[in-house]
Amino acid sequence: MPEAWTQARWQFESIDEGAAAELADRLGVSALEARLLVARGVADAEAARRFLEPTLTQLPDPVTLPGCAVAAERIVRAIEAGQPIVVYGDYDVDGVTASAILCRMLRLAGATVATYIPHRIDEGYGLNTEALLSIGAGELTGGRRPLVITVDCGVSAIEPCRAAAEQGVEVIVTDHHCGESGALPAAAAVVHPSLGTGVAGTQAAADWGDLSGAGVAFVLAWEVARLRSGQRERLPEEYRRTLIDLLAMAALGTVADVVRLAGPNRAIVAGGLARLPQSRVVGVRALMEANGLGRAVDTYHVGFVLGPRLNAVGRMGHAAEALELLTSDDEAHCAAIAAKLGRVNEDRRSVERRVLNEAVEQIESRADGGDERRALVVAGPGWHPGVVGIVASRLVDRYHRPAVVLGIEGEVAKGSARSVPGVSIYEALGACGSLLEKFGGHEMAAGMTLRADRVDELRDRLVERVNGELAVEALTPTRRVDVAIEPGDLTCARFDAVDRLAPFGRGNPRPALMAEGLEVAAPPRVVGKSGDHVSLSLRFGDRTVKAIGFGMADRVGEVGQGARIDAVFEPQVNEWQGRRSAEMRLIDWRACGVAAERDAAAAVAMAEDGR
């Protein structure tokens, strides 16, 4: 289904040209690189060097991660005493990779390890009291009471941890989410990057940034390796090589969880992506081979190829198979699981498309996509709970407003919500709390359960609430533009230099460049197996380049040969039969001469309106 298209407002980054010129001179880089760095808030020369050359030496000492030292010491005592350990994870990519990281390091350190991942539909996110008590009673460890370590969950599990403590079950919590109550669970240790120096086991304060669950697990695994080996500076070879392999999985979890790629996260992802193609982890190699990935792997491949496949089994069934892939050393078994993940992901996409089509039909039939209804609530019988969150995100992309998608089973409606900047969906749903059986989440995403006969009332009340918060102008999509370029920038060398800013992701998006006065040098063509894309040949100065607009075939009639346009695009270098060429991946275009002041005026109006 092609996305509905609305002419976007182009939002240009503010750049201190003097600072960019000074940075280019001090670093010896092109003006384009320097301007992109300044646009990202990296104007200091030393900070820019660290940004362009992220290394593992930029990671702080593991003992500065709040709670890490106490947790590692307790884990090593359990190993030395022969006490079994259970790793309790989450069902998304971050949780699965975090579980695999800790499981592999604990096994190397000599522990007896079992794993547990809750069922997305039957149990939901986080620590389940009943499951935790069963685990604590030795269900997974032959009747022996284990030490339980959570990964990517647990910081808000006040009641489950209290119940476990009453039964004499020790729990170590490792997490990166925010605890809703502000209180910490009763645990032997809480490892969390945002808890500060007040947590036992924290030495000198360090800025660990927005670590993912997998990132937290990696740092804890690192400290366990140092304690268990007795070597704090130079680890024994097998520990060192294992940590490098685990770094690749930490990169998978970090990118898939869409945390900010700055500071330690940037170092983890840069190092992990470089290691992925050479990983010794059998399951990682099987997953790469099953998807035809070779030596060049970037955040796109993680976010749109590997991540969705690891996520699919958790959405459509049970994530235990994804964890098994990353912890097994049986090549044939891992190859079979990797192939299955691909099939399950195709099933997930098929179900997602069906639910999305039905949701769009509901919205269009009620005319809910207009200016007067600035929030969407759709519901349908049998909509799979594993895809409602993805569909809500698709609706936000399409209609540029908060969306709630609910699957109805009998008399119960259960689903997910996604929002837009400026509207806290958690607070908006809280204002409708009397209609909900339960709900939880944060500003941009939430989950909820209510009676099916109250869906219409939820729709009306949520629309009323959001209409008071979201200006009509905000329904127009915004296209971020980093810098405008000159014809001389349209070369492979310049585009290669732009790639030095990788890895790209949240907090460091792939650069969006703008070129003005492009001439359409040949008739536009619709391309792709399904005819979804448009291909343009564009002349810029004395250069002619190929431009591809994915999913933009419905705009082909806007331009003809000889027309002039301004375009926003991502730079890319195409390699074919040993030849390299600079190309554009189109984000948006508009007729040449449409005043940029229109965008600036709209931005000023929105700012003055307080929106």
Side-chain angles (χ1 to χ4, degrees):
M1 172 187 296
E3 294 294 317
W5 177 79
T6 303
Q7 177 63 65
R9 178 171 53 86
W10 294 5
Q11 182 173 312
F12 294 82
E13 295 289 347
S14 176
I15 298 175
D16 183 333
E17 297 293 349
E22 181 179 352
L23 188 62
D25 183 61
R26 294 190 63 181
L27 292 182
V29 300
S30 69
L32 177 58
E33 283 178 87
R35 296 178 75 211
L36 287 170
L37 286 166
V38 171
R40 280 157 168 69
V42 187
D44 175 76
E46 182 55 36
R49 288 190 183 96
R50 289 167 59 86
F51 185 91
L52 293 174
E53 299 174 4
T55 66
L56 296 182
T57 61
Q58 296 172 9
L59 295 178
D61 191 303
V63 297
T64 64
L65 177 65
C68 185
V70 167
E73 289 169 3
R74 178 63 186 90
I75 290 168
V76 170
R77 289 203 310 272
I79 296 172
E80 292 173 344
Q83 181 183 14
I85 297 174
V86 174
V87 177
Y88 189 121
D90 187 27
Y91 41 67
D92 66 1
V93 178
D94 193 22
V96 167
T97 52
S99 299
I101 287 167
L102 211 51
C103 181
R104 282 188 167 274
M105 178 53 72
L106 293 176
R107 287 176 179 170
L108 177 62
T112 299
V113 186
T115 59
Y116 184 84
I117 292 184
H119 193 283
R120 177 190 289 266
I121 299 171
D122 296 341
E123 297 176 79
Y125 168 77
L127 287 183
N128 177 292
T129 301
E130 181 179 352
L132 183 57
L133 293 180
S134 295
I135 291 168
E139 180 182 6
L140 302 178
T141 50
R144 302 170 63 200
R145 177 157 289 175
L147 172 66
V148 180
I149 308 174
T150 78
V151 290
D152 196 33
C153 63
V155 74
S156 61
I158 306 300
E159 176 56 30
C161 286
R162 183 198 62 77
E166 289 178 352
Q167 297 298 316
V169 180
E170 278 193 281
V171 179
I172 291 175
V173 170
T174 80
D175 203 352
H176 70 119
H177 298 97
C178 298
E180 293 180 12
S181 66
L184 294 179
V190 178
V191 187
H192 195 295
S194 301
L195 295 184
T197 57
V199 177
T202 301
Q203 295 186 9
D207 182 9
W208 282 95
D210 188 17
L211 279 182
S212 66
V216 173
F218 174 78
V219 177
L220 178 57
W222 182 5
E223 181 61 14
V224 168
R226 297 206 302 181
L227 288 181
R228 187 63 172 148
S229 69
Q231 302 293 323
R232 302 202 67 82
E233 300 302 325
R234 178 72 179 179
L235 289 172
E237 184 65 13
E238 187 56 28
Y239 278 106
R240 188 186 69 81
R241 294 179 67 192
T242 296
L243 273 174
I244 292 174
D245 287 326
L246 300 185
L247 185 70
M249 285 196 276
L252 285 174
T254 299
V255 173
D257 218 49
V258 201
V259 294
R260 290 182 60 83
L261 296 191
N265 283 340
R266 185 169 173 79
I268 287 170
V269 172
L273 291 180
R275 180 60 190 171
L276 265 174
Q278 294 86 36
S279 176
R280 296 184 306 158
V281 177
V282 174
V284 170
R285 292 203 309 269
L287 190 62
M288 296 276 287
E289 291 169 5
N291 292 284
L293 297 182
R295 300 187 64 84
V297 180
D298 59 21
T299 52
Y300 169 84
H301 298 108
V302 174
F304 294 95
V305 180
L306 302 178
R309 284 155 178 78
L310 287 170
N311 246 338
V313 285
R315 291 188 179 280
M316 307 303 291
H318 201 294
E321 285 186 284
L323 179 56
E324 189 175 351
L325 173 72
L326 299 181
T327 54
S328 172
D329 293 322
D330 185 317
E331 292 190 3
H333 185 50
C334 287
I337 295 176
K340 180 178 179 179
L341 295 191
R343 296 192 298 271
V344 173
N345 190 54
E346 287 302 314
D347 292 342
R348 188 270 306 169
R349 294 176 62 183
S350 177
V351 172
E352 176 194 326
R353 283 193 295 268
R354 177 181 62 80
V355 174
L356 177 60
N357 288 339
E358 293 178 12
V360 169
E361 288 174 6
Q362 284 189 26
I363 293 166
E364 299 298 333
S365 66
R366 287 195 301 262
D368 281 351
D371 291 349
E372 299 308 312
R373 300 183 69 82
R374 299 169 208 167
L376 304 171
V377 177
V378 291
W383 286 2
H384 198 292
V387 304
V388 291
I390 305 177
V391 172
S393 295
R394 299 283 187 265
L395 295 178
V396 170
D397 291 342
R398 185 181 180 92
Y399 293 101
H400 318 294
R401 64 199 73 201
V404 175
V405 181
L406 300 158
I408 298 176
E409 294 293 339
E411 298 179 353
V412 177
K414 182 184 295 186
S416 296
R418 298 292 185 268
S419 195
V420 295
V423 177
S424 169
I425 194 64
Y426 181 80
E427 292 183 4
L429 287 170
C432 308
S434 62
L435 299 175
L436 306 175
E437 302 292 328
K438 63 178 181 179
F439 81 100
H442 52 80
E443 284 193 358
M444 299 301 289
M448 78 243 37
T449 301
L450 68 157
R451 286 186 359 220
D453 60 5
R454 309 198 82 170
V455 170
D456 290 341
E457 189 176 356
L458 174 65
R459 180 183 300 110
D460 292 340
R461 286 178 57 177
L462 189 64
V463 166
E464 182 180 4
R465 166 81 182 202
V466 174
N467 278 4
E469 298 184 16
L470 194 64
V472 171
E473 292 84 357
L475 301 178
T476 300
T478 298
R479 300 280 186 251
R480 173 189 55 84
V481 183
D482 284 281
V483 299
I485 67 167
E486 302 296 331
D489 291 321
L490 204 62
T491 66
C492 291
R494 286 285 190 268
F495 286 6
D496 286 339
V498 168
D499 279 341
R500 290 186 63 204
L501 275 68
F504 301 120
R506 182 182 169 199
N508 183 40
R510 186 172 292 277
L513 311 182
M514 193 270 284
E516 294 180 295
L518 297 160
E519 179 187 353
V520 181
R525 296 184 299 116
V526 172
V527 297
K529 291 182 179 179
S530 302
D532 294 332
H533 318 310
V534 64
S535 176
L536 301 177
S537 178
L538 300 175
R539 186 173 293 118
F540 190 39
D542 61 351
R543 304 177 187 278
T544 300
V545 298
K546 178 183 177 181
I548 183 75
F550 292 104
M552 300 173 76
D554 56 331
R555 297 187 60 187
V556 70
E558 295 177 18
V559 292
Q561 185 173 2
R564 288 189 173 273
I565 61 173
D566 302 334
V568 178
F569 67 97
E570 293 176 354
Q572 58 185 25
V573 175
N574 182 49
E575 297 191 32
W576 176 249
Q577 295 182 340
R579 298 186 62 183
R580 307 175 81 239
S581 59
E583 295 187 355
M584 298 177 172
R585 184 185 183 278
L586 291 171
I587 299 172
D588 197 7
W589 77 71
R590 63 190 183 190
C592 183
V594 175
E597 285 78 5
R598 182 200 66 178
D599 299 323
V604 169
M606 290 182 68
E608 292 177 347
D609 194 36
R611 304 297 182 181

